mmCIF file of all heavy atoms in Angstrom:
data_model
loop_
_atom_site.group_PDB
_atom_site.id
_atom_site.type_symbol
_atom_site.label_atom_id
_atom_site.label_comp_id
_atom_site.label_asym_id
_atom_site.label_seq_id
_atom_site.Cartn_x
_atom_site.Cartn_y
_atom_site.Cartn_z
ATOM 1 N N ILE A 1 -21.800 20.864 -7.016
ATOM 2 C CA ILE A 1 -21.227 20.534 -5.771
ATOM 3 C C ILE A 1 -19.723 20.620 -5.744
ATOM 4 O O ILE A 1 -19.048 20.142 -6.509
ATOM 5 C CB ILE A 1 -21.638 19.088 -5.517
ATOM 6 C CG1 ILE A 1 -23.061 18.736 -5.620
ATOM 7 C CG2 ILE A 1 -21.160 18.710 -4.102
ATOM 8 C CD1 ILE A 1 -23.576 17.392 -5.604
ATOM 9 N N ARG A 2 -19.252 21.425 -4.712
ATOM 10 C CA ARG A 2 -17.812 21.535 -4.472
ATOM 11 C C ARG A 2 -17.484 20.886 -3.129
ATOM 12 O O ARG A 2 -18.136 21.278 -2.071
ATOM 13 C CB ARG A 2 -17.438 22.990 -4.577
ATOM 14 C CG ARG A 2 -15.893 23.209 -4.255
ATOM 15 C CD ARG A 2 -15.656 24.690 -4.168
ATOM 16 N NE ARG A 2 -14.240 24.940 -3.741
ATOM 17 C CZ ARG A 2 -13.236 25.128 -4.568
ATOM 18 N NH1 ARG A 2 -13.432 25.024 -5.859
ATOM 19 N NH2 ARG A 2 -11.990 25.434 -4.268
ATOM 20 N N SER A 3 -16.513 20.009 -3.111
ATOM 21 C CA SER A 3 -16.159 19.268 -1.864
ATOM 22 C C SER A 3 -14.647 19.486 -1.661
ATOM 23 O O SER A 3 -13.961 19.571 -2.668
ATOM 24 C CB SER A 3 -16.513 17.748 -1.945
ATOM 25 O OG SER A 3 -15.919 17.181 -3.061
ATOM 26 N N GLU A 4 -14.306 19.700 -0.366
ATOM 27 C CA GLU A 4 -12.865 19.766 -0.073
ATOM 28 C C GLU A 4 -12.698 19.064 1.167
ATOM 29 O O GLU A 4 -13.598 18.681 1.903
ATOM 30 C CB GLU A 4 -12.582 21.284 0.131
ATOM 31 C CG GLU A 4 -12.888 22.206 -1.009
ATOM 32 C CD GLU A 4 -12.480 23.612 -0.655
ATOM 33 O OE1 GLU A 4 -11.364 23.978 -0.194
ATOM 34 O OE2 GLU A 4 -13.310 24.549 -0.834
ATOM 35 N N GLY A 5 -11.400 18.698 1.417
ATOM 36 C CA GLY A 5 -11.099 17.929 2.579
ATOM 37 C C GLY A 5 -9.646 17.698 2.709
ATOM 38 O O GLY A 5 -8.670 17.959 1.908
ATOM 39 N N GLN A 6 -9.379 16.963 3.843
ATOM 40 C CA GLN A 6 -7.989 16.623 4.199
ATOM 41 C C GLN A 6 -7.975 15.077 4.538
ATOM 42 O O GLN A 6 -8.829 14.663 5.362
ATOM 43 C CB GLN A 6 -7.392 17.374 5.308
ATOM 44 C CG GLN A 6 -5.998 17.089 5.680
ATOM 45 C CD GLN A 6 -5.457 18.202 6.688
ATOM 46 O OE1 GLN A 6 -5.250 19.276 6.309
ATOM 47 N NE2 GLN A 6 -5.374 17.833 7.854
ATOM 48 N N VAL A 7 -7.065 14.284 4.014
ATOM 49 C CA VAL A 7 -6.993 12.965 4.207
ATOM 50 C C VAL A 7 -5.541 12.550 4.752
ATOM 51 O O VAL A 7 -4.519 13.050 4.192
ATOM 52 C CB VAL A 7 -7.212 12.030 2.874
ATOM 53 C CG1 VAL A 7 -7.321 10.632 3.324
ATOM 54 C CG2 VAL A 7 -8.651 12.545 2.267
ATOM 55 N N ARG A 8 -5.556 11.712 5.779
ATOM 56 C CA ARG A 8 -4.188 11.237 6.319
ATOM 57 C C ARG A 8 -4.026 9.850 5.922
ATOM 58 O O ARG A 8 -4.924 9.055 6.068
ATOM 59 C CB ARG A 8 -4.173 11.469 7.909
ATOM 60 C CG ARG A 8 -2.738 11.202 8.429
ATOM 61 C CD ARG A 8 -2.700 11.556 9.853
ATOM 62 N NE ARG A 8 -1.557 11.043 10.549
ATOM 63 C CZ ARG A 8 -0.377 11.401 10.415
ATOM 64 N NH1 ARG A 8 -0.010 12.519 9.540
ATOM 65 N NH2 ARG A 8 0.578 10.838 11.067
ATOM 66 N N TRP A 9 -2.897 9.509 5.396
ATOM 67 C CA TRP A 9 -2.419 8.252 5.030
ATOM 68 C C TRP A 9 -1.367 7.686 5.910
ATOM 69 O O TRP A 9 -0.243 8.331 5.898
ATOM 70 C CB TRP A 9 -2.241 8.213 3.561
ATOM 71 C CG TRP A 9 -1.836 6.873 2.950
ATOM 72 C CD1 TRP A 9 -0.576 6.262 2.911
ATOM 73 C CD2 TRP A 9 -2.707 5.922 2.328
ATOM 74 N NE1 TRP A 9 -0.686 5.042 2.208
ATOM 75 C CE2 TRP A 9 -1.976 4.775 1.913
ATOM 76 C CE3 TRP A 9 -4.144 5.962 2.114
ATOM 77 C CZ2 TRP A 9 -2.432 3.727 1.274
ATOM 78 C CZ3 TRP A 9 -4.650 4.796 1.508
ATOM 79 C CH2 TRP A 9 -3.824 3.718 1.073
ATOM 80 N N VAL A 10 -1.366 6.545 6.545
ATOM 81 C CA VAL A 10 -0.245 6.058 7.326
ATOM 82 C C VAL A 10 -0.064 4.598 6.968
ATOM 83 O O VAL A 10 -0.993 3.822 6.896
ATOM 84 C CB VAL A 10 -0.635 6.202 8.934
ATOM 85 C CG1 VAL A 10 0.548 5.672 9.648
ATOM 86 C CG2 VAL A 10 -0.989 7.599 9.317
ATOM 87 N N VAL A 11 1.192 4.201 6.777
ATOM 88 C CA VAL A 11 1.672 2.904 6.412
ATOM 89 C C VAL A 11 1.834 2.189 7.815
ATOM 90 O O VAL A 11 2.747 2.494 8.606
ATOM 91 C CB VAL A 11 2.896 2.908 5.558
ATOM 92 C CG1 VAL A 11 3.381 1.378 5.410
ATOM 93 C CG2 VAL A 11 2.635 3.587 4.264
ATOM 94 N N ASP A 12 1.087 1.230 8.045
ATOM 95 C CA ASP A 12 1.153 0.516 9.325
ATOM 96 C C ASP A 12 2.088 -0.640 9.361
ATOM 97 O O ASP A 12 2.827 -0.801 10.198
ATOM 98 C CB ASP A 12 -0.200 -0.002 9.800
ATOM 99 C CG ASP A 12 -1.255 1.152 9.943
ATOM 100 O OD1 ASP A 12 -0.889 2.171 10.669
ATOM 101 O OD2 ASP A 12 -2.422 1.147 9.449
ATOM 102 N N ARG A 13 1.906 -1.496 8.244
ATOM 103 C CA ARG A 13 2.757 -2.690 8.152
ATOM 104 C C ARG A 13 3.104 -3.075 6.663
ATOM 105 O O ARG A 13 2.257 -2.771 5.802
ATOM 106 C CB ARG A 13 1.872 -3.931 8.709
ATOM 107 C CG ARG A 13 2.701 -5.229 8.929
ATOM 108 C CD ARG A 13 1.941 -6.195 9.763
ATOM 109 N NE ARG A 13 0.988 -6.927 8.812
ATOM 110 C CZ ARG A 13 -0.269 -7.316 9.389
ATOM 111 N NH1 ARG A 13 -0.468 -7.180 10.680
ATOM 112 N NH2 ARG A 13 -1.093 -7.778 8.536
ATOM 113 N N VAL A 14 4.268 -3.450 6.426
ATOM 114 C CA VAL A 14 4.772 -3.961 5.172
ATOM 115 C C VAL A 14 5.166 -5.316 5.167
ATOM 116 O O VAL A 14 5.943 -5.751 5.951
ATOM 117 C CB VAL A 14 5.884 -3.058 4.655
ATOM 118 C CG1 VAL A 14 6.270 -3.456 3.252
ATOM 119 C CG2 VAL A 14 5.390 -1.498 4.550
ATOM 120 N N GLU A 15 4.592 -6.044 4.241
ATOM 121 C CA GLU A 15 4.916 -7.615 4.078
ATOM 122 C C GLU A 15 6.130 -7.888 3.271
ATOM 123 O O GLU A 15 6.536 -6.902 2.498
ATOM 124 C CB GLU A 15 3.813 -8.257 3.635
ATOM 125 C CG GLU A 15 2.344 -8.104 4.264
ATOM 126 C CD GLU A 15 2.406 -8.652 5.806
ATOM 127 O OE1 GLU A 15 3.313 -9.317 6.076
ATOM 128 O OE2 GLU A 15 1.493 -8.212 6.535
ATOM 129 N N GLU A 16 6.718 -8.966 3.342
ATOM 130 C CA GLU A 16 7.894 -9.369 2.637
ATOM 131 C C GLU A 16 7.644 -9.203 1.151
ATOM 132 O O GLU A 16 8.562 -8.996 0.386
ATOM 133 C CB GLU A 16 8.338 -10.783 3.040
ATOM 134 C CG GLU A 16 8.801 -10.907 4.448
ATOM 135 C CD GLU A 16 9.397 -12.334 4.633
ATOM 136 O OE1 GLU A 16 9.449 -13.060 3.774
ATOM 137 O OE2 GLU A 16 9.843 -12.445 5.781
ATOM 138 N N ASP A 17 6.379 -9.500 0.606
ATOM 139 C CA ASP A 17 6.083 -9.457 -0.760
ATOM 140 C C ASP A 17 5.920 -8.013 -1.276
ATOM 141 O O ASP A 17 5.645 -7.831 -2.499
ATOM 142 C CB ASP A 17 4.921 -10.371 -1.191
ATOM 143 C CG ASP A 17 3.628 -9.873 -0.467
ATOM 144 O OD1 ASP A 17 3.585 -8.904 0.271
ATOM 145 O OD2 ASP A 17 2.593 -10.550 -0.737
ATOM 146 N N GLY A 18 5.970 -7.046 -0.398
ATOM 147 C CA GLY A 18 5.841 -5.703 -0.839
ATOM 148 C C GLY A 18 4.328 -5.167 -0.563
ATOM 149 O O GLY A 18 4.120 -4.066 -0.770
ATOM 150 N N SER A 19 3.450 -6.071 -0.237
ATOM 151 C CA SER A 19 2.056 -5.544 0.094
ATOM 152 C C SER A 19 2.132 -4.866 1.401
ATOM 153 O O SER A 19 3.056 -4.899 2.222
ATOM 154 C CB SER A 19 1.025 -6.644 0.191
ATOM 155 O OG SER A 19 1.394 -7.631 1.040
ATOM 156 N N ALA A 20 1.067 -4.031 1.714
ATOM 157 C CA ALA A 20 0.988 -3.331 2.990
ATOM 158 C C ALA A 20 -0.386 -3.096 3.446
ATOM 159 O O ALA A 20 -1.471 -3.209 2.765
ATOM 160 C CB ALA A 20 1.627 -1.861 2.614
ATOM 161 N N ARG A 21 -0.382 -2.793 4.802
ATOM 162 C CA ARG A 21 -1.786 -2.435 5.362
ATOM 163 C C ARG A 21 -1.480 -0.931 5.855
ATOM 164 O O ARG A 21 -0.519 -0.625 6.480
ATOM 165 C CB ARG A 21 -2.048 -3.249 6.620
ATOM 166 C CG ARG A 21 -2.404 -4.816 6.182
ATOM 167 C CD ARG A 21 -3.027 -5.564 7.370
ATOM 168 N NE ARG A 21 -4.239 -4.944 7.683
ATOM 169 C CZ ARG A 21 -5.081 -5.484 8.640
ATOM 170 N NH1 ARG A 21 -4.762 -6.593 9.295
ATOM 171 N NH2 ARG A 21 -6.259 -4.814 8.923
ATOM 172 N N CYS A 22 -2.498 -0.177 5.567
ATOM 173 C CA CYS A 22 -2.451 1.284 5.729
ATOM 174 C C CYS A 22 -3.712 1.713 6.479
ATOM 175 O O CYS A 22 -4.753 1.112 6.500
ATOM 176 C CB CYS A 22 -2.211 1.966 4.606
ATOM 177 S SG CYS A 22 -0.908 1.525 3.459
ATOM 178 N N THR A 23 -3.557 2.796 7.086
ATOM 179 C CA THR A 23 -4.797 3.572 7.708
ATOM 180 C C THR A 23 -5.064 4.766 6.895
ATOM 181 O O THR A 23 -4.171 5.613 6.649
ATOM 182 C CB THR A 23 -4.514 3.928 9.142
ATOM 183 O OG1 THR A 23 -4.314 2.764 9.840
ATOM 184 C CG2 THR A 23 -5.701 4.613 9.710
ATOM 185 N N MET A 24 -6.213 4.894 6.541
ATOM 186 C CA MET A 24 -6.817 6.194 5.801
ATOM 187 C C MET A 24 -7.898 6.742 6.581
ATOM 188 O O MET A 24 -8.852 6.188 6.971
ATOM 189 C CB MET A 24 -7.242 5.840 4.385
ATOM 190 C CG MET A 24 -7.718 7.033 3.541
ATOM 191 S SD MET A 24 -8.310 6.577 1.832
ATOM 192 C CE MET A 24 -9.985 5.715 2.285
ATOM 193 N N THR A 25 -7.603 8.071 6.936
ATOM 194 C CA THR A 25 -8.601 8.814 7.611
ATOM 195 C C THR A 25 -9.035 10.113 7.131
ATOM 196 O O THR A 25 -8.103 10.971 6.689
ATOM 197 C CB THR A 25 -8.001 9.142 9.048
ATOM 198 O OG1 THR A 25 -7.501 7.978 9.741
ATOM 199 C CG2 THR A 25 -8.982 9.878 10.047
ATOM 200 N N LEU A 26 -10.315 10.314 6.859
ATOM 201 C CA LEU A 26 -10.836 11.534 6.362
ATOM 202 C C LEU A 26 -10.860 12.513 7.436
ATOM 203 O O LEU A 26 -11.771 12.518 8.350
ATOM 204 C CB LEU A 26 -12.282 11.339 5.761
ATOM 205 C CG LEU A 26 -12.255 10.423 4.710
ATOM 206 C CD1 LEU A 26 -13.773 10.098 4.155
ATOM 207 C CD2 LEU A 26 -11.466 10.753 3.351
ATOM 208 N N GLU A 27 -9.856 13.410 7.620
ATOM 209 C CA GLU A 27 -9.819 14.118 8.865
ATOM 210 C C GLU A 27 -10.840 15.293 8.897
ATOM 211 O O GLU A 27 -11.440 15.548 9.981
ATOM 212 C CB GLU A 27 -8.435 14.828 8.944
ATOM 213 C CG GLU A 27 -7.349 13.746 9.115
ATOM 214 C CD GLU A 27 -6.057 14.305 9.680
ATOM 215 O OE1 GLU A 27 -5.664 15.441 9.152
ATOM 216 O OE2 GLU A 27 -5.416 13.653 10.524
ATOM 217 N N TRP A 28 -11.115 15.927 7.729
ATOM 218 C CA TRP A 28 -12.206 16.878 7.739
ATOM 219 C C TRP A 28 -12.816 17.003 6.215
ATOM 220 O O TRP A 28 -11.920 16.673 5.397
ATOM 221 C CB TRP A 28 -11.830 18.254 8.283
ATOM 222 C CG TRP A 28 -10.802 18.988 7.464
ATOM 223 C CD1 TRP A 28 -9.467 18.940 7.704
ATOM 224 C CD2 TRP A 28 -11.040 19.869 6.434
ATOM 225 N NE1 TRP A 28 -8.834 19.727 6.703
ATOM 226 C CE2 TRP A 28 -9.746 20.259 5.884
ATOM 227 C CE3 TRP A 28 -12.232 20.252 5.577
ATOM 228 C CZ2 TRP A 28 -9.611 21.213 4.821
ATOM 229 C CZ3 TRP A 28 -12.010 21.100 4.534
ATOM 230 C CH2 TRP A 28 -10.762 21.547 4.318
ATOM 231 N N MET A 29 -13.996 17.294 6.142
ATOM 232 C CA MET A 29 -14.541 17.430 4.855
ATOM 233 C C MET A 29 -15.553 18.633 4.903
ATOM 234 O O MET A 29 -16.209 18.937 5.870
ATOM 235 C CB MET A 29 -15.341 16.274 4.484
ATOM 236 C CG MET A 29 -14.454 15.098 4.133
ATOM 237 S SD MET A 29 -15.463 13.585 3.961
ATOM 238 C CE MET A 29 -15.917 13.259 5.696
#
């Protein structure tokens, strides 16, 4: 099995302690 694809990673919010909320989207596979 060979799989390929593209993933987009966006940083939405960063907290004071350095933690973050992000969006991960599998754009195509």
Side-chain angles (χ1 to χ4, degrees):
I1 304 170
R2 178 184 174 91
S3 58
E4 301 179 54
Q6 185 169 287
V7 186
R8 182 168 170 78
W9 181 271
V10 180
V11 178
D12 299 315
R13 190 171 75 210
V14 178
E15 307 294 347
E16 291 184 2
D17 63 358
S19 62
R21 291 194 65 178
C22 306
T23 297
M24 182 178 73
T25 306
L26 304 172
E27 296 196 321
W28 66 266
M29 291 171 285

